[in-house]
Amino acid sequence: MPEHSTPGSKEYPSKTGRTAQVLLLAGLIALCCLIEVVLQLADREIGITAPLRRMTYDYYGFWPGLLKDWQPNFTAQPYTMFFTYSFLHGGLTHLAVNMMTLWSLGRAVMDRVGAWGFSLLYTGAILGGALGFALLASNLRPMVGASGALFGLAGALLAWAYVDRYTYREGLWPVARAILGLAALNLVMWWAMDGQLAWETHLGGFVAGWIMALVVDPRPQKSEDA
C-alpha cells in the first residue's frame, strides 16, 4: 500500500522499486508463457508424447463439477483450482492477448500501489473470477485463463478513477463509459465465440478488483503533478 505525504499527493517509486515491479510482472508473464510453450510442444509431440494439455486441464483447470459431486484427481483440487486455472491458457492467441493486457494494466496498477499492492489485487481478482464462474456458470464446462484477473485489474483502475474524480468533483462519465465499453466487449466476444466466453469469470474478477482497490488504496490521488 502506498504512503502519501498529504491527501491527493502522488509518489513515484525508486529505481529499485521500479525494478522489482518489472521483475514481478515479467516473471508472472514468463511463467504463463512457459506453461503454454510446454503444452504446445506436447500438442505437437515434440519431445513429449503424453496428452499433457488434457492432463494439465484435468488437474489444474477450474471444473465447476468438483464443487458438486465429481471425484477430484487429488484431495485439494477443489480448492487449488480457484488459483491454478489462471496460469493456463487455451492456445497461443489466448495467451498473447492476455499477456499483452497484463503488461499494460499491471504497470498501471503498480504505478498506483506498487508490487505488493498489485500482488494483493491480482490474487484477489483470480479468486473473485473463479467465484464468479462457480456461482454463475450455467454448465459444467472447464475454465482456464488469466482474463478474470485482468478484468480485476481493470476494475481496480476504474475504482480509483471513480474515487479520484468524485473527490475532486470531476465528471464520472469517463468511468461509466469505460464500464459500458467492457460490458459491450464481453457481449461481442460472447457472440463471436458462440457463447464459449467465460463472462462469469470476467464479472467476478472485475467486482473483486474494484473492492480490493478500495481496500488496498482507498484515498484519492490527483493526477500527475497535483
Side-chain angles (χ1 to χ4, degrees):
M1 186 181 301
E3 296 179 356
H4 302 272
S5 56
T6 59
S9 66
K10 185 173 183 178
E11 292 190 354
Y12 295 91
S14 64
K15 183 176 181 180
T16 301
R18 176 62 72 181
T19 300
Q21 293 175 14
V22 171
L23 289 176
L24 173 60
L25 200 54
L28 183 58
I29 292 172
L31 175 59
C32 292
C33 290
L34 176 61
I35 292 172
E36 182 58 32
V37 167
V38 172
L39 296 182
Q40 288 288 330
L41 292 175
D43 291 345
R44 292 162 173 74
E45 297 186 351
I46 301 176
I48 305 172
T49 58
L52 190 60
R53 185 177 296 274
R54 189 190 70 191
M55 293 169 58
T56 302
Y57 288 178
D58 284 349
Y59 277 79
Y60 303 110
F62 190 94
W63 296 88
L66 292 175
L67 301 176
K68 301 181 184 298
D69 56 356
W70 288 17
Q71 182 67 33
N73 292 303
F74 56 95
T75 304
Q77 187 179 4
Y79 308 101
T80 59
M81 69 178 184
F82 275 81
F83 186 70
T84 56
Y85 80 93
S86 66
F87 297 97
L88 307 178
H89 289 84
L92 292 176
T93 300
H94 188 203
L95 173 73
V97 171
N98 277 356
M99 294 304 98
M100 287 188 291
T101 305
L102 174 56
W103 179 257
S104 176
L105 295 181
R107 292 177 67 188
V109 168
M110 286 184 178
D111 282 344
R112 175 104 181 195
V113 294
W116 280 108
F118 167 83
S119 299
L120 289 173
L121 277 166
Y122 197 76
T123 301
I126 288 173
L127 298 177
L131 183 61
F133 192 78
L135 293 175
L136 300 175
S138 59
N139 56 47
L140 300 179
R141 72 186 189 276
M143 183 267 293
V144 298
S147 55
L150 300 180
F151 270 85
L153 298 182
L157 292 170
L158 288 173
W160 289 322
Y162 174 86
V163 170
D164 296 347
R165 298 184 73 86
Y166 181 84
T167 301
Y168 297 109
R169 300 181 184 278
E170 299 174 350
L172 297 178
W173 170 239
V175 178
R177 182 175 58 201
I179 294 173
L180 291 173
L182 289 176
L185 175 63
N186 272 270
L187 182 61
V188 171
M189 291 175 63
W190 179 84
W191 174 79
M193 297 173 64
D194 295 324
Q196 295 303 304
L197 179 74
W199 63 267
E200 305 92 342
T201 308
H202 298 172
L203 177 60
F206 182 90
V207 172
W210 185 289
I211 294 172
M212 288 292 295
L214 302 182
V215 173
V216 173
D217 183 22
R219 291 191 284 182
Q221 290 183 2
K222 284 187 177 180
S223 60
E224 298 303 326
D225 298 328

